[in-house]
Amino acid sequence: MRAVIMHGPGDVRVEDVDKPTLVEATDAIIRVTSTCVCGSDLWPYRGAQKSRGPARMGHEYVGVVEQVGDAVREVAVGDLVVGSFVASDNTCEICQAGFQSRCKHQVMMGSVGTQAEFARIPLADGTLVKVPGEPTPAQMRSLLAASDVLGTGWFAAVAAEAGPGKTVAVVGDGAVGLLAILAAQRLGADRIIAMSRHADRQALARRFGATDIVEERGAEGVARVKELTDGYGAHSTVEAVGTQESMMQAIRSTRPGGHVGFVGVSHGVELDGRDLFNATVSLLGGPAPVRRFLPELIDLIMADEIDPGAVFDLELPLEEAAEGYRAMDERRATKVLLSV
Amino acid sequence: MRAVIMHGPGDVRVEDVDKPTLVEATDAIIRVTSTCVCGSDLWPYRGAQKSRGPARMGHEYVGVVEQVGDAVREVAVGDLVVGSFVASDNTCEICQAGFQSRCKHQVMMGSVGTQAEFARIPLADGTLVKVPGEPTPAQMRSLLAASDVLGTGWFAAVAAEAGPGKTVAVVGDGAVGLLAILAAQRLGADRIIAMSRHADRQALARRFGATDIVEERGAEGVARVKELTDGYGAHSTVEAVGTQESMMQAIRSTRPGGHVGFVGVSHGVELDGRDLFNATVSLLGGPAPVRRFLPELIDLIMADEIDPGAVFDLELPLEEAAEGYRAMDERRATKVLLSV
């Protein structure tokens, strides 16, 4: 089968690899119908993260179940399914508490590689959620978004306790940041401040529910958020970048007693304990437990209540994955869908 | 009047200073009846924190109102009152959200200095809480504890979301850690793991509600907490020390999705962003909004439902403050009460 392989920074190729087979009785094999390139894939692509050498890529996926192991009960051959970027049993205490991304038996799907024609999904019953009905093409795009960027943005908004009466600030205007805006709007936030300096992303931010745009960054960005909130800062802030600057911008934009949800994969971030002590804000982040939200998100998508697929602004066949990476790296695209 | 002055590390004296007078119409002057030495006073005492030169000390107090400014409405001359270590208006948005320690108009009482015969309390209406009835000597000790260590331990337990069904770990066996145990017990925690290696403090920890004692520290301490929790870690962890080791011990002792409440004043702590991302725990800490809890704590004390005053294991007259500091520094005492 064909699969995306990253050989090193900037070097992405589509090559022939063995088709996966069932390993555990709890596995399923899916025929991937669509997958995509993640902002986090850009870290190794840019050499900002040590590359594992030639490595399979991809952790987002929508697909059709092709084969199931003997122990699989919840999904069947032919089912259209979505899963998150972490396979989880959905039964351990951590999963039951809604943190499936840190399941006792977690398997990172990035190590499996879903930018491919087929993928082995471990812990299929816990991981995969069946999609009811026949999605439209637009719904299919949105379902793919649910696999990571929507679920991650949603978690960030929930972690930041976005809701009625709250002013939410969102640091980062990539797909996750934009979808955190959508989430904050759905969760009932009064006001949503998008921190963005790109016109096209500002437009999407507004479509998703942003009420204010702040173009400034760093201390100036913080000052603008405070200006917009009677000097107090936001109640809820989403951090969706992962750098020192964005993290401090998020913490400092938040009022004492407020909440920061951080989902940008942390790169070189060091938080000074005294700064954090003085900030007196709640901080919750990490790999998003997308599985917690998937059933609800799939329902919203199939009812056309949300349109997260709008973040995909470039669609390419899997064979042209290299161009997809380039387009995202060069910021010509916010989020690239690879159709299989 | 007599007041405690720290001239430098290890150099605490009781000297004559001017009696405070009303400055703002919102001020009150109280005659301090008892005050105490705080664990945080030991940082400058040990030279671990830059000393301000000769400095007034103390931020905990119970007292009787002696004089009020023209704008004061809620307390009157003769009232027995308790306040927290931060004066707050109790009306701004931050106070209303329960974070009075970060009030828009906050005044740190440490800059006032309550280890003295009298103290000026700014924002008296927002800061002071009147004590009903006639406290017994034991209740008076407990009221003094409410001024900081009880309120801080309580906040830490609330920030860690201690409650029914939860296993709570407490890092730090000083007065704050011990009172966080009391708080966790009152909040309904199922199980409370005290991390302590001092027999006398272990005994008090058990009296306050600890169900398990872990003597190991660092990685071994974390391993023991995991052993006690089916490998998952605590749901809720209180950090009440403020060092890198204690902070990491707290974070690592907590299961994914769990909560860390940190109230040890941070000294030299640096948190690696990736560690925090991977931990996937909620972190909330800072100067405790003791004022939020004071009315409830005073009621519990006056009803003899809690006995936080038990943390005071040495009582000295104000004149002997230097010995009080020494005793705490040398760990001969957990918490020293200074009677005025």
Side-chain angles (χ1 to χ4, degrees), chain A residues 93 99 102 232 255-257 264 266-267 269-271 273-274 277-280 282-283 285-287, chain B residues 93 99 102 232 255-257 264 266-267 269-271 273-274 277-280 282-283 285-287:
Chain A
E93 282 192 32
F99 281 79
R102 295 295 316 283
Y232 289 115
R255 66 179 61 195
S266 186
H267 280 77
V269 174
E270 282 283 343
L271 298 180
R274 189 61 72 97
F277 187 88
N278 291 337
T280 329
S282 287
L283 214 57
Chain B
E93 281 191 32
F99 281 81
R102 296 296 316 283
Y232 290 114
R255 66 179 60 197
S266 186
H267 281 77
V269 175
E270 282 283 343
L271 298 179
R274 189 61 71 96
F277 187 88
N278 291 337
T280 328
S282 286
L283 213 59

mmCIF file of all heavy atoms in Angstrom, chain A residues 93 99 102 232 255-257 264 266-267 269-271 273-274 277-280 282-283 285-287, chain B residues 93 99 102 232 255-257 264 266-267 269-271 273-274 277-280 282-283 285-287:
data_model
loop_
_atom_site.group_PDB
_atom_site.id
_atom_site.type_symbol
_atom_site.label_atom_id
_atom_site.label_comp_id
_atom_site.label_asym_id
_atom_site.label_seq_id
_atom_site.Cartn_x
_atom_site.Cartn_y
_atom_site.Cartn_z
ATOM 1 N N GLU A 93 -9.409 3.691 34.574
ATOM 2 C CA GLU A 93 -9.874 4.817 35.404
ATOM 3 C C GLU A 93 -9.595 6.170 34.758
ATOM 4 O O GLU A 93 -10.361 7.116 34.933
ATOM 5 C CB GLU A 93 -9.182 4.788 36.787
ATOM 6 C CG GLU A 93 -9.782 3.775 37.723
ATOM 7 C CD GLU A 93 -9.292 3.952 39.164
ATOM 8 O OE1 GLU A 93 -9.023 5.093 39.592
ATOM 9 O OE2 GLU A 93 -9.170 2.929 39.856
ATOM 10 N N PHE A 99 -9.946 11.271 30.326
ATOM 11 C CA PHE A 99 -8.594 11.590 29.839
ATOM 12 C C PHE A 99 -8.027 10.444 29.008
ATOM 13 O O PHE A 99 -6.925 9.954 29.249
ATOM 14 C CB PHE A 99 -7.690 12.007 31.000
ATOM 15 C CG PHE A 99 -7.961 13.438 31.401
ATOM 16 C CD1 PHE A 99 -9.048 13.754 32.189
ATOM 17 C CD2 PHE A 99 -7.183 14.468 30.896
ATOM 18 C CE1 PHE A 99 -9.341 15.083 32.505
ATOM 19 C CE2 PHE A 99 -7.470 15.800 31.207
ATOM 20 C CZ PHE A 99 -8.546 16.107 32.010
ATOM 21 N N ARG A 102 -4.507 9.794 27.850
ATOM 22 C CA ARG A 102 -3.498 9.292 28.766
ATOM 23 C C ARG A 102 -3.913 7.920 29.319
ATOM 24 O O ARG A 102 -3.498 7.529 30.404
ATOM 25 C CB ARG A 102 -3.275 10.294 29.909
ATOM 26 C CG ARG A 102 -2.681 11.627 29.456
ATOM 27 C CD ARG A 102 -1.268 11.454 28.896
ATOM 28 N NE ARG A 102 -0.470 10.571 29.712
ATOM 29 C CZ ARG A 102 0.089 10.906 30.881
ATOM 30 N NH1 ARG A 102 -0.064 12.127 31.357
ATOM 31 N NH2 ARG A 102 0.798 10.030 31.552
ATOM 32 N N TYR A 232 -8.816 43.533 33.560
ATOM 33 C CA TYR A 232 -8.707 42.276 34.310
ATOM 34 C C TYR A 232 -8.011 41.144 33.558
ATOM 35 O O TYR A 232 -7.387 40.285 34.157
ATOM 36 C CB TYR A 232 -10.108 41.783 34.705
ATOM 37 C CG TYR A 232 -10.784 42.607 35.770
ATOM 38 C CD1 TYR A 232 -11.937 43.329 35.498
ATOM 39 C CD2 TYR A 232 -10.282 42.639 37.059
ATOM 40 C CE1 TYR A 232 -12.578 44.074 36.474
ATOM 41 C CE2 TYR A 232 -10.914 43.378 38.048
ATOM 42 C CZ TYR A 232 -12.064 44.096 37.754
ATOM 43 O OH TYR A 232 -12.688 44.824 38.732
ATOM 44 N N ARG A 255 -6.945 36.605 33.680
ATOM 45 C CA ARG A 255 -7.119 37.244 34.992
ATOM 46 C C ARG A 255 -6.846 36.248 36.123
ATOM 47 O O ARG A 255 -6.998 35.038 35.939
ATOM 48 C CB ARG A 255 -8.539 37.783 35.115
ATOM 49 C CG ARG A 255 -9.605 36.703 35.142
ATOM 50 C CD ARG A 255 -11.002 37.319 35.292
ATOM 51 N NE ARG A 255 -11.319 38.207 34.186
ATOM 52 C CZ ARG A 255 -12.313 39.083 34.195
ATOM 53 N NH1 ARG A 255 -13.090 39.187 35.270
ATOM 54 N NH2 ARG A 255 -12.553 39.834 33.155
ATOM 55 N N PRO A 256 -6.483 36.735 37.298
ATOM 56 C CA PRO A 256 -6.353 35.847 38.454
ATOM 57 C C PRO A 256 -7.658 35.077 38.651
ATOM 58 O O PRO A 256 -8.742 35.657 38.533
ATOM 59 C CB PRO A 256 -6.112 36.805 39.619
ATOM 60 C CG PRO A 256 -5.501 38.016 38.995
ATOM 61 C CD PRO A 256 -6.157 38.133 37.642
ATOM 62 N N GLY A 257 -7.529 33.792 38.903
ATOM 63 C CA GLY A 257 -8.716 32.959 39.052
ATOM 64 C C GLY A 257 -9.231 32.420 37.725
ATOM 65 O O GLY A 257 -10.146 31.603 37.710
ATOM 66 N N GLY A 264 -0.955 23.508 22.497
ATOM 67 C CA GLY A 264 0.184 23.542 21.575
ATOM 68 C C GLY A 264 1.257 22.622 22.147
ATOM 69 O O GLY A 264 1.577 22.722 23.335
ATOM 70 N N SER A 266 4.380 21.546 23.476
ATOM 71 C CA SER A 266 5.372 22.433 24.071
ATOM 72 C C SER A 266 6.773 22.225 23.482
ATOM 73 O O SER A 266 7.304 21.118 23.477
ATOM 74 C CB SER A 266 5.382 22.149 25.574
ATOM 75 O OG SER A 266 6.200 23.049 26.232
ATOM 76 N N HIS A 267 7.334 23.311 22.987
ATOM 77 C CA HIS A 267 8.693 23.254 22.431
ATOM 78 C C HIS A 267 9.566 24.316 23.092
ATOM 79 O O HIS A 267 9.430 25.502 22.823
ATOM 80 C CB HIS A 267 8.661 23.453 20.917
ATOM 81 C CG HIS A 267 8.271 22.202 20.198
ATOM 82 N ND1 HIS A 267 6.963 21.771 20.140
ATOM 83 C CD2 HIS A 267 9.019 21.253 19.555
ATOM 84 C CE1 HIS A 267 6.924 20.623 19.476
ATOM 85 N NE2 HIS A 267 8.145 20.299 19.103
ATOM 86 N N VAL A 269 9.557 25.324 26.154
ATOM 87 C CA VAL A 269 8.881 26.185 27.120
ATOM 88 C C VAL A 269 9.411 25.906 28.528
ATOM 89 O O VAL A 269 9.539 24.760 28.935
ATOM 90 C CB VAL A 269 7.351 25.951 27.085
ATOM 91 C CG1 VAL A 269 6.654 26.742 28.180
ATOM 92 C CG2 VAL A 269 6.794 26.306 25.716
ATOM 93 N N GLU A 270 9.756 26.967 29.243
ATOM 94 C CA GLU A 270 10.159 26.875 30.653
ATOM 95 C C GLU A 270 9.310 27.864 31.438
ATOM 96 O O GLU A 270 9.346 29.059 31.163
ATOM 97 C CB GLU A 270 11.635 27.288 30.820
ATOM 98 C CG GLU A 270 12.651 26.245 30.413
ATOM 99 C CD GLU A 270 12.815 25.130 31.453
ATOM 100 O OE1 GLU A 270 12.388 25.310 32.613
ATOM 101 O OE2 GLU A 270 13.364 24.089 31.078
ATOM 102 N N LEU A 271 8.565 27.365 32.391
ATOM 103 C CA LEU A 271 7.723 28.266 33.170
ATOM 104 C C LEU A 271 8.376 28.531 34.515
ATOM 105 O O LEU A 271 8.704 27.601 35.255
ATOM 106 C CB LEU A 271 6.344 27.649 33.381
ATOM 107 C CG LEU A 271 5.538 27.396 32.102
ATOM 108 C CD1 LEU A 271 4.193 26.777 32.453
ATOM 109 C CD2 LEU A 271 5.342 28.684 31.326
ATOM 110 N N GLY A 273 8.430 29.255 38.221
ATOM 111 C CA GLY A 273 7.477 28.921 39.283
ATOM 112 C C GLY A 273 6.861 30.152 39.926
ATOM 113 O O GLY A 273 5.669 30.185 40.235
ATOM 114 N N ARG A 274 7.681 31.183 40.133
ATOM 115 C CA ARG A 274 7.166 32.388 40.781
ATOM 116 C C ARG A 274 6.161 33.105 39.881
ATOM 117 O O ARG A 274 5.126 33.586 40.350
ATOM 118 C CB ARG A 274 8.326 33.318 41.172
ATOM 119 C CG ARG A 274 7.905 34.490 42.036
ATOM 120 C CD ARG A 274 7.300 34.060 43.378
ATOM 121 N NE ARG A 274 8.296 33.540 44.280
ATOM 122 C CZ ARG A 274 8.896 34.243 45.248
ATOM 123 N NH1 ARG A 274 8.536 35.485 45.472
ATOM 124 N NH2 ARG A 274 9.825 33.688 45.993
ATOM 125 N N PHE A 277 3.036 31.180 40.199
ATOM 126 C CA PHE A 277 2.461 31.420 41.527
ATOM 127 C C PHE A 277 1.748 32.769 41.533
ATOM 128 O O PHE A 277 0.592 32.886 41.957
ATOM 129 C CB PHE A 277 3.589 31.392 42.553
ATOM 130 C CG PHE A 277 3.143 31.468 43.992
ATOM 131 C CD1 PHE A 277 2.823 30.310 44.697
ATOM 132 C CD2 PHE A 277 3.046 32.680 44.652
ATOM 133 C CE1 PHE A 277 2.423 30.372 46.024
ATOM 134 C CE2 PHE A 277 2.650 32.754 45.979
ATOM 135 C CZ PHE A 277 2.341 31.592 46.668
ATOM 136 N N ASN A 278 2.427 33.768 41.025
ATOM 137 C CA ASN A 278 1.844 35.109 41.038
ATOM 138 C C ASN A 278 0.649 35.247 40.099
ATOM 139 O O ASN A 278 -0.256 36.038 40.359
ATOM 140 C CB ASN A 278 2.910 36.150 40.686
ATOM 141 C CG ASN A 278 3.947 36.276 41.795
ATOM 142 O OD1 ASN A 278 3.676 35.947 42.951
ATOM 143 N ND2 ASN A 278 5.138 36.722 41.446
ATOM 144 N N ALA A 279 0.670 34.467 39.011
ATOM 145 C CA ALA A 279 -0.431 34.576 38.038
ATOM 146 C C ALA A 279 -1.747 34.106 38.644
ATOM 147 O O ALA A 279 -2.811 34.658 38.354
ATOM 148 C CB ALA A 279 -0.108 33.763 36.793
ATOM 149 N N THR A 280 -1.673 33.093 39.510
ATOM 150 C CA THR A 280 -2.883 32.550 40.164
ATOM 151 C C THR A 280 -3.955 32.177 39.144
ATOM 152 O O THR A 280 -5.131 32.513 39.308
ATOM 153 C CB THR A 280 -3.459 33.562 41.193
ATOM 154 O OG1 THR A 280 -2.400 34.337 41.765
ATOM 155 C CG2 THR A 280 -4.179 32.850 42.316
ATOM 156 N N SER A 282 -5.505 28.838 36.694
ATOM 157 C CA SER A 282 -5.517 27.381 36.521
ATOM 158 C C SER A 282 -4.931 27.058 35.159
ATOM 159 O O SER A 282 -5.263 27.700 34.164
ATOM 160 C CB SER A 282 -6.943 26.833 36.568
ATOM 161 O OG SER A 282 -7.443 26.865 37.863
ATOM 162 N N LEU A 283 -4.113 26.028 35.146
ATOM 163 C CA LEU A 283 -3.434 25.639 33.919
ATOM 164 C C LEU A 283 -3.755 24.169 33.676
ATOM 165 O O LEU A 283 -3.505 23.339 34.553
ATOM 166 C CB LEU A 283 -1.942 25.794 34.184
ATOM 167 C CG LEU A 283 -0.996 26.219 33.089
ATOM 168 C CD1 LEU A 283 -1.413 27.545 32.490
ATOM 169 C CD2 LEU A 283 0.425 26.336 33.660
ATOM 170 N N GLY A 285 -3.419 21.366 30.390
ATOM 171 C CA GLY A 285 -3.124 21.108 28.995
ATOM 172 C C GLY A 285 -2.519 19.755 28.813
ATOM 173 O O GLY A 285 -2.401 18.971 29.755
ATOM 174 N N GLY A 286 -2.115 19.509 27.584
ATOM 175 C CA GLY A 286 -1.542 18.220 27.248
ATOM 176 C C GLY A 286 -2.207 17.675 26.005
ATOM 177 O O GLY A 286 -2.988 18.373 25.351
ATOM 178 N N PRO A 287 -1.877 16.430 25.675
ATOM 179 C CA PRO A 287 -2.523 15.803 24.524
ATOM 180 C C PRO A 287 -4.027 15.702 24.805
ATOM 181 O O PRO A 287 -4.432 15.192 25.845
ATOM 182 C CB PRO A 287 -1.867 14.420 24.459
ATOM 183 C CG PRO A 287 -1.257 14.196 25.803
ATOM 184 C CD PRO A 287 -0.946 15.533 26.371
ATOM 185 N N GLU B 93 -14.137 42.463 40.520
ATOM 186 C CA GLU B 93 -14.510 41.221 39.827
ATOM 187 C C GLU B 93 -13.668 40.036 40.286
ATOM 188 O O GLU B 93 -14.145 38.906 40.337
ATOM 189 C CB GLU B 93 -14.340 41.377 38.304
ATOM 190 C CG GLU B 93 -15.468 42.133 37.657
ATOM 191 C CD GLU B 93 -15.441 42.046 36.131
ATOM 192 O OE1 GLU B 93 -15.009 41.022 35.567
ATOM 193 O OE2 GLU B 93 -15.848 43.032 35.495
ATOM 194 N N PHE B 99 -11.103 35.255 44.341
ATOM 195 C CA PHE B 99 -9.637 35.342 44.347
ATOM 196 C C PHE B 99 -9.176 36.650 44.996
ATOM 197 O O PHE B 99 -8.399 37.420 44.439
ATOM 198 C CB PHE B 99 -9.085 35.138 42.934
ATOM 199 C CG PHE B 99 -9.055 33.676 42.582
ATOM 200 C CD1 PHE B 99 -10.200 33.034 42.156
ATOM 201 C CD2 PHE B 99 -7.913 32.928 42.759
ATOM 202 C CE1 PHE B 99 -10.206 31.667 41.896
ATOM 203 C CE2 PHE B 99 -7.894 31.569 42.503
ATOM 204 C CZ PHE B 99 -9.044 30.931 42.068
ATOM 205 N N ARG B 102 -5.795 38.321 45.003
ATOM 206 C CA ARG B 102 -5.338 39.053 43.832
ATOM 207 C C ARG B 102 -6.290 40.217 43.523
ATOM 208 O O ARG B 102 -6.388 40.654 42.373
ATOM 209 C CB ARG B 102 -5.219 38.105 42.631
ATOM 210 C CG ARG B 102 -4.172 37.012 42.778
ATOM 211 C CD ARG B 102 -2.754 37.598 42.870
ATOM 212 N NE ARG B 102 -2.556 38.643 41.880
ATOM 213 C CZ ARG B 102 -2.335 38.415 40.595
ATOM 214 N NH1 ARG B 102 -2.230 37.198 40.145
ATOM 215 N NH2 ARG B 102 -2.190 39.422 39.759
ATOM 216 N N TYR B 232 -2.053 4.524 39.355
ATOM 217 C CA TYR B 232 -2.557 5.721 38.673
ATOM 218 C C TYR B 232 -1.994 7.031 39.218
ATOM 219 O O TYR B 232 -1.864 8.006 38.498
ATOM 220 C CB TYR B 232 -4.086 5.783 38.780
ATOM 221 C CG TYR B 232 -4.815 4.737 37.964
ATOM 222 C CD1 TYR B 232 -5.560 3.733 38.562
ATOM 223 C CD2 TYR B 232 -4.768 4.781 36.574
ATOM 224 C CE1 TYR B 232 -6.249 2.790 37.808
ATOM 225 C CE2 TYR B 232 -5.452 3.845 35.811
ATOM 226 C CZ TYR B 232 -6.191 2.852 36.432
ATOM 227 O OH TYR B 232 -6.867 1.934 35.675
ATOM 228 N N ARG B 255 -2.345 11.666 38.991
ATOM 229 C CA ARG B 255 -2.743 10.946 37.776
ATOM 230 C C ARG B 255 -3.146 11.929 36.671
ATOM 231 O O ARG B 255 -3.561 13.058 36.969
ATOM 232 C CB ARG B 255 -3.915 10.021 38.087
ATOM 233 C CG ARG B 255 -5.197 10.754 38.476
ATOM 234 C CD ARG B 255 -6.346 9.788 38.747
ATOM 235 N NE ARG B 255 -6.025 8.884 39.835
ATOM 236 C CZ ARG B 255 -6.687 7.750 40.075
ATOM 237 N NH1 ARG B 255 -7.697 7.400 39.298
ATOM 238 N NH2 ARG B 255 -6.347 6.984 41.084
ATOM 239 N N PRO B 256 -3.074 11.515 35.413
ATOM 240 C CA PRO B 256 -3.577 12.357 34.330
ATOM 241 C C PRO B 256 -5.034 12.717 34.596
ATOM 242 O O PRO B 256 -5.813 11.859 35.020
ATOM 243 C CB PRO B 256 -3.468 11.449 33.101
ATOM 244 C CG PRO B 256 -2.376 10.483 33.432
ATOM 245 C CD PRO B 256 -2.492 10.248 34.910
ATOM 246 N N GLY B 257 -5.361 13.966 34.369
ATOM 247 C CA GLY B 257 -6.717 14.429 34.649
ATOM 248 C C GLY B 257 -6.912 14.868 36.094
ATOM 249 O O GLY B 257 -7.972 15.380 36.437
ATOM 250 N N GLY B 264 2.993 26.448 48.248
ATOM 251 C CA GLY B 264 4.323 26.772 48.737
ATOM 252 C C GLY B 264 4.843 27.937 47.900
ATOM 253 O O GLY B 264 4.773 27.888 46.671
ATOM 254 N N SER B 266 6.943 29.781 45.686
ATOM 255 C CA SER B 266 7.890 29.181 44.754
ATOM 256 C C SER B 266 9.291 29.804 44.870
ATOM 257 O O SER B 266 9.456 31.009 44.749
ATOM 258 C CB SER B 266 7.332 29.382 43.350
ATOM 259 O OG SER B 266 8.096 28.716 42.409
ATOM 260 N N HIS B 267 10.271 28.958 45.118
ATOM 261 C CA HIS B 267 11.669 29.412 45.194
ATOM 262 C C HIS B 267 12.532 28.614 44.230
ATOM 263 O O HIS B 267 12.833 27.449 44.472
ATOM 264 C CB HIS B 267 12.192 29.287 46.620
ATOM 265 C CG HIS B 267 11.708 30.414 47.488
ATOM 266 N ND1 HIS B 267 10.424 30.463 47.990
ATOM 267 C CD2 HIS B 267 12.311 31.577 47.887
ATOM 268 C CE1 HIS B 267 10.276 31.581 48.682
ATOM 269 N NE2 HIS B 267 11.380 32.280 48.629
ATOM 270 N N VAL B 269 11.820 27.503 41.300
ATOM 271 C CA VAL B 269 11.131 26.443 40.559
ATOM 272 C C VAL B 269 11.079 26.799 39.073
ATOM 273 O O VAL B 269 10.730 27.918 38.706
ATOM 274 C CB VAL B 269 9.700 26.233 41.099
ATOM 275 C CG1 VAL B 269 8.941 25.230 40.248
ATOM 276 C CG2 VAL B 269 9.746 25.799 42.554
ATOM 277 N N GLU B 270 11.457 25.846 38.236
ATOM 278 C CA GLU B 270 11.339 25.989 36.778
ATOM 279 C C GLU B 270 10.595 24.767 36.267
ATOM 280 O O GLU B 270 11.053 23.639 36.470
ATOM 281 C CB GLU B 270 12.728 26.005 36.113
ATOM 282 C CG GLU B 270 13.478 27.307 36.209
ATOM 283 C CD GLU B 270 12.982 28.364 35.243
ATOM 284 O OE1 GLU B 270 12.278 28.021 34.273
ATOM 285 O OE2 GLU B 270 13.297 29.543 35.469
ATOM 286 N N LEU B 271 9.457 24.979 35.623
ATOM 287 C CA LEU B 271 8.708 23.842 35.107
ATOM 288 C C LEU B 271 8.942 23.713 33.616
ATOM 289 O O LEU B 271 8.752 24.669 32.860
ATOM 290 C CB LEU B 271 7.222 24.026 35.380
ATOM 291 C CG LEU B 271 6.827 24.113 36.855
ATOM 292 C CD1 LEU B 271 5.325 24.319 36.981
ATOM 293 C CD2 LEU B 271 7.262 22.863 37.600
ATOM 294 N N GLY B 273 7.995 22.835 30.062
ATOM 295 C CA GLY B 273 6.700 22.830 29.377
ATOM 296 C C GLY B 273 6.291 21.447 28.916
ATOM 297 O O GLY B 273 5.120 21.069 29.007
ATOM 298 N N ARG B 274 7.253 20.686 28.425
ATOM 299 C CA ARG B 274 6.916 19.359 27.921
ATOM 300 C C ARG B 274 6.501 18.427 29.054
ATOM 301 O O ARG B 274 5.565 17.649 28.927
ATOM 302 C CB ARG B 274 8.096 18.771 27.123
ATOM 303 C CG ARG B 274 7.760 17.475 26.385
ATOM 304 C CD ARG B 274 6.651 17.660 25.341
ATOM 305 N NE ARG B 274 7.107 18.407 24.206
ATOM 306 C CZ ARG B 274 7.545 17.848 23.058
ATOM 307 N NH1 ARG B 274 7.537 16.547 22.915
ATOM 308 N NH2 ARG B 274 7.963 18.608 22.074
ATOM 309 N N PHE B 277 3.028 19.382 29.865
ATOM 310 C CA PHE B 277 2.145 18.923 28.782
ATOM 311 C C PHE B 277 1.873 17.430 28.954
ATOM 312 O O PHE B 277 0.731 16.975 28.932
ATOM 313 C CB PHE B 277 2.825 19.214 27.442
ATOM 314 C CG PHE B 277 1.980 18.944 26.241
ATOM 315 C CD1 PHE B 277 1.132 19.926 25.733
ATOM 316 C CD2 PHE B 277 2.036 17.719 25.581
ATOM 317 C CE1 PHE B 277 0.360 19.685 24.601
ATOM 318 C CE2 PHE B 277 1.259 17.468 24.453
ATOM 319 C CZ PHE B 277 0.416 18.453 23.959
ATOM 320 N N ASN B 278 2.942 16.683 29.162
ATOM 321 C CA ASN B 278 2.796 15.236 29.273
ATOM 322 C C ASN B 278 2.054 14.812 30.538
ATOM 323 O O ASN B 278 1.390 13.780 30.557
ATOM 324 C CB ASN B 278 4.164 14.550 29.204
ATOM 325 C CG ASN B 278 4.768 14.666 27.811
ATOM 326 O OD1 ASN B 278 4.060 14.862 26.827
ATOM 327 N ND2 ASN B 278 6.085 14.571 27.735
ATOM 328 N N ALA B 279 2.194 15.608 31.589
ATOM 329 C CA ALA B 279 1.553 15.245 32.859
ATOM 330 C C ALA B 279 0.026 15.291 32.738
ATOM 331 O O ALA B 279 -0.679 14.488 33.336
ATOM 332 C CB ALA B 279 2.010 16.181 33.976
ATOM 333 N N THR B 280 -0.470 16.254 31.953
ATOM 334 C CA THR B 280 -1.918 16.397 31.737
ATOM 335 C C THR B 280 -2.676 16.512 33.061
ATOM 336 O O THR B 280 -3.694 15.839 33.284
ATOM 337 C CB THR B 280 -2.484 15.216 30.908
ATOM 338 O OG1 THR B 280 -1.488 14.759 29.990
ATOM 339 C CG2 THR B 280 -3.704 15.641 30.125
ATOM 340 N N SER B 282 -4.216 19.385 36.039
ATOM 341 C CA SER B 282 -4.579 20.785 36.275
ATOM 342 C C SER B 282 -3.711 21.331 37.393
ATOM 343 O O SER B 282 -3.517 20.663 38.413
ATOM 344 C CB SER B 282 -6.041 20.900 36.713
ATOM 345 O OG SER B 282 -6.892 20.685 35.631
ATOM 346 N N LEU B 283 -3.248 22.532 37.186
ATOM 347 C CA LEU B 283 -2.350 23.166 38.146
ATOM 348 C C LEU B 283 -2.973 24.496 38.547
ATOM 349 O O LEU B 283 -3.268 25.324 37.690
ATOM 350 C CB LEU B 283 -1.043 23.424 37.404
ATOM 351 C CG LEU B 283 0.288 23.351 38.107
ATOM 352 C CD1 LEU B 283 0.499 21.982 38.717
ATOM 353 C CD2 LEU B 283 1.406 23.631 37.101
ATOM 354 N N GLY B 285 -2.404 27.439 41.678
ATOM 355 C CA GLY B 285 -1.754 27.822 42.915
ATOM 356 C C GLY B 285 -1.539 29.312 42.966
ATOM 357 O O GLY B 285 -1.961 30.051 42.086
ATOM 358 N N GLY B 286 -0.835 29.710 44.008
ATOM 359 C CA GLY B 286 -0.576 31.130 44.196
ATOM 360 C C GLY B 286 -0.925 31.517 45.613
ATOM 361 O O GLY B 286 -1.216 30.657 46.455
ATOM 362 N N PRO B 287 -0.853 32.818 45.884
ATOM 363 C CA PRO B 287 -1.247 33.292 47.219
ATOM 364 C C PRO B 287 -2.722 32.946 47.439
ATOM 365 O O PRO B 287 -3.567 33.271 46.612
ATOM 366 C CB PRO B 287 -1.022 34.809 47.137
ATOM 367 C CG PRO B 287 -0.977 35.135 45.678
ATOM 368 C CD PRO B 287 -0.505 33.907 44.962
#
